[in-house]
Every structure is written in structure tokens, then in C-alpha cells.
Amino acid sequence: EEAKAIFMNLRLPPTVRKRAYAALNRAPDGCRIFSLENLTWEWTLPEPAVLHAESQGYALGDTDLYATSWCTSGFPFYIFDVDRRRKPSITQDYATEAVKELYSQGFF
């Protein structure tokens, strides 16, 4: 609840996601989350996220690549900002609809 930054460089099993996402929702305003998971597609909590994607393109499948120890040419990560003053932009319904839309366009 006092974090300035959270690094989530792992894929979470479905059984752990709800607890992890609830913890992210308790992060303080101004905290930045650097995530291997695209939370705009994966949000599973019934309550909206207090997180906001740094890039609106994340919902469309855009990614930002960052050099890692396992992939020096860059691996996709997503950055989110915690800001409770803004209207929620990541919800369970939005995640479901975004993935349906991407499937209909042959993205996956």
C-alpha cells in the first residue's frame, strides 16, 4: 500500500490472479506497475481496476518491448498507472469484450 513501483515479471496461474489483482487495486495513487500480463485483457475481478494503461494501444494488442536477461532484443511488458481520480478504464466486462474483438479479427 506504499509502493512506488511494482514489477510483475511472471505469468500468474488463474487461481492466483484474483488475489494478485486485489493487491494491485490497493496500490497507492501514483504507483506504476510493470507487468508481463496485459491487465486490460486479463482483469478478472468484478470491481474495476484503479489502474490505467500507459498506452491505449494495449487493448488493441500493441506492446512495448523491454530488454530482459532472457531476451536482450526485447520482451513485451505493459505499464499501468494507479490513479483513483480517473474513471475506471479496466473492468472485467471490458477485458472480456476486448478479447472477443481481438479473436474476431484473427489476432490470436
Side-chain angles (χ1 to χ4, degrees):
E1 294 174 357
E2 296 181 24
K4 300 285 185 211
I6 298 171
F7 292 90
M8 291 183 46
N9 60 338
L10 52 96
R11 293 283 301 160
L12 297 170
T15 56
V16 176
R17 285 185 184 155
K18 287 189 179 195
R19 281 191 332 217
Y21 295 169
L24 291 176
N25 249 5
R26 290 191 303 272
D29 284 337
C31 181
R32 299 192 93 189
I33 294 148
F34 189 73
S35 174
L36 186 58
E37 293 189 343
N38 185 346
L39 300 173
T40 60
W41 295 351
E42 311 238 1
W43 195 255
T44 55
L45 293 181
E47 62 269 7
V50 297
L51 317 173
H52 301 276
E54 178 147 301
S55 169
Q56 295 304 314
Y58 292 169
L60 306 172
D62 294 347
T63 59
D64 294 322
L65 299 178
Y66 296 89
T68 66
S69 60
W70 65 88
C71 185
T72 56
S73 61
F75 203 81
F77 277 87
Y78 305 89
I79 300 173
F80 301 90
D81 299 309
V82 178
D83 187 348
R84 288 171 179 80
R85 296 169 297 174
R86 293 171 57 190
K87 179 182 174 186
S89 58
I90 300 173
T91 66
Q92 187 177 36
D93 289 341
Y94 181 81
T96 301
E97 291 305 314
V99 170
K100 283 181 187 176
E101 177 65 22
L102 291 168
Y103 267 110
S104 74
Q105 295 176 16
F107 182 82
F108 296 106

